[in-house]
Amino acid sequence: MAKPYHIIATPDENGYTIKIPEYPNATAHCERTEDITETGENLAMLARMDAGEPVLARCPKCGKEYSGRPALSRVDNTTPICPDCGTREALDAIGMTAEEQEEIITEIHQHI
């Protein structure tokens, strides 16, 4: 079970600075009040990973559960997504078809 943490949001000239006191090196930024909780939760997940704590997460894009380091979505550059969805977004960005993307992801899974 993950240790509890606190999300501290301080208003600044561009929105809010997000900090997690339990992880002193963890800092993020968001522009809107309604994004504070999600930004803080994403920050906490990344901070726990950096601290070497086991983390299990659910990908907001495909809904699958995964462990390990997430990819950062190219859509908003802030949302952590599973490695497979991160690979799909990257391959899509260079124009690969969905079929080609799945072939590559299948190949990756054969070697991990």
Side-chain angles (χ1 to χ4, degrees), residues 1-92:
M1 185 168 163
K3 71 180 183 179
Y5 59 88
H6 299 86
I7 298 170
I8 307 296
T10 307
D12 61 31
E13 63 278 354
N14 298 315
Y16 298 89
T17 298
I18 310 297
K19 293 187 178 192
I20 303 200
E22 293 81 3
Y23 300 98
N25 295 326
T27 304
H29 187 269
C30 68
E31 294 178 3
R32 304 176 319 160
T33 305
E34 53 268 24
D35 295 334
I36 291 172
T37 300
E38 182 179 359
T39 301
E41 289 171 353
N42 292 340
L43 179 61
M45 179 177 70
L46 295 172
R48 290 194 317 264
M49 286 181 187
D50 286 344
E53 298 174 25
V55 175
L56 194 59
R58 183 164 305 280
C59 178
K61 193 162 189 161
C62 70
K64 291 182 182 174
E65 220 172 55
Y66 68 96
S67 62
R69 196 138 193 65
L72 197 57
S73 176
R74 291 168 179 251
V75 174
D76 62 8
N77 230 17
T78 59
T79 303
I81 57 177
C82 73
D84 286 351
C85 285
T87 300
R88 284 187 191 93
E89 284 188 5
L91 295 173
D92 185 61

